[in-house]
Amino acid sequence: NYERGVQDGGWYPMFWNSKVRDRLIGLVTALGARFGNQPNIEGIVIGETSAEVPAGYGCSDYLRVFESVAEAAKAAFPRKSVIQMANFACFDVLAFMRWLVDRGIGLGTPDTFNFKRDLTGGVYPLMYESRMAVPMGPDVQWDNYERNNMSVREIRDFAIAEMDPWYLFWQIREPYFTRDVLPAIFSRKLPAAERFYSGNSASVRPKAPI
């Protein structure tokens, strides 16, 4: 890792380092060998693209690592949902997301909130555009609860309207999760999930995992 401390929310992996890249590829490959055929494993999520590249390393190096790890995860979990979290990077994130869709790799974003909609650089619209082809799985992280100007149910409805996700990953943060998230989950299912389990998945989700 480099530069960031715990007080900043964690560390940046050195994605541009070839040894780190090889270990990440080895990790997802080993996970696929162990869990790829487990019926109760839905899929795998790859960490977000937002990190800074230090002097001496190019954005193209950084991008190639994400492409390599995503392809390795897809090969390791061919019958599962594979989702890459994307928000911003030094490279063209939207072009990278289209590259992922072309390879049957799903899209996610680390945050779901409307007051930063313009900062996502078109991530939400591209996810909505691609929702019938590959899995969509945005996050709701801790600051989405605490710094959002929406209630939990409004966050849920915003995600449905903006991205129509197959999955919505809620961070377990109290008191929000027990008090607000669980009732919101039970009161309205994700339409994409309802379509999938309605028996029409072959026509609605052509690249859905078997």
Side-chain angles (χ1 to χ4, degrees):
N1 84 91
Y2 79 108
E3 291 190 354
R4 300 185 79 194
V6 174
Q7 70 275 9
D8 300 315
W11 300 272
Y12 286 140
M14 301 170 93
F15 289 116
W16 53 89
N17 184 297
S18 61
K19 293 182 179 180
V20 172
R21 177 203 61 206
D22 292 345
R23 291 182 69 179
L24 288 170
I25 292 173
L27 174 61
V28 297
T29 301
L31 288 171
R34 176 65 179 85
F35 299 110
N37 291 318
Q38 292 291 328
N40 294 324
I41 299 293
E42 182 73 9
I44 185 171
V45 175
I46 307 170
E48 62 188 86
T49 58
S50 60
E52 300 174 6
V53 178
Y57 295 89
C59 289
S60 58
D61 299 326
Y62 185 57
L63 173 60
R64 278 195 293 271
V65 171
F66 272 98
E67 291 175 342
S68 298
V69 174
E71 287 185 318
K74 183 63 177 177
F77 291 89
R79 299 167 64 87
K80 305 291 185 179
S81 292
V82 177
I83 294 176
Q84 168 70 61
M85 290 290 167
N87 47 353
F88 61 89
C90 63
F91 52 81
D92 187 334
V93 172
L94 297 185
F96 175 52
M97 293 174 71
R98 293 187 182 96
W99 180 92
L100 293 166
V101 171
D102 288 343
R103 286 154 180 80
I105 299 169
L107 308 177
T109 188
D111 295 286
T112 302
F113 39 22
N114 64 356
F115 70 89
K116 282 194 175 181
R117 179 186 299 173
D118 294 339
L119 300 182
T120 62
V123 168
Y124 291 170
L126 195 147
M127 290 177 67
Y128 188 85
E129 173 188 319
S130 307
R131 71 195 189 282
M132 306 300 275
V134 295
M136 298 295 140
D139 276 358
V140 180
Q141 297 196 28
W142 68 269
D143 60 342
N144 303 164
Y145 296 120
E146 298 186 355
R147 295 195 292 118
N148 221 329
N149 59 356
M150 298 185 291
S151 69
V152 164
R153 294 192 181 210
E154 288 171 332
I155 294 172
R156 175 204 61 194
D157 293 343
F158 174 80
I160 291 172
E162 294 285 328
M163 293 170 275
D164 191 20
W166 298 20
Y167 313 97
L168 188 54
F169 301 115
W170 299 88
Q171 183 179 27
I172 300 176
R173 187 172 182 86
E174 299 296 356
Y176 311 101
F177 191 78
T178 300
R179 184 190 67 197
D180 302 327
V181 174
L182 292 179
I185 290 173
F186 291 122
S187 66
R188 184 184 182 189
K189 296 179 181 178
L190 296 177
E194 288 191 297
R195 291 196 299 270
F196 178 65
Y197 290 109
S198 69
N200 297 319
S201 59
S203 60
V204 175
R205 297 168 70 173
K207 295 183 182 178
I210 300 172

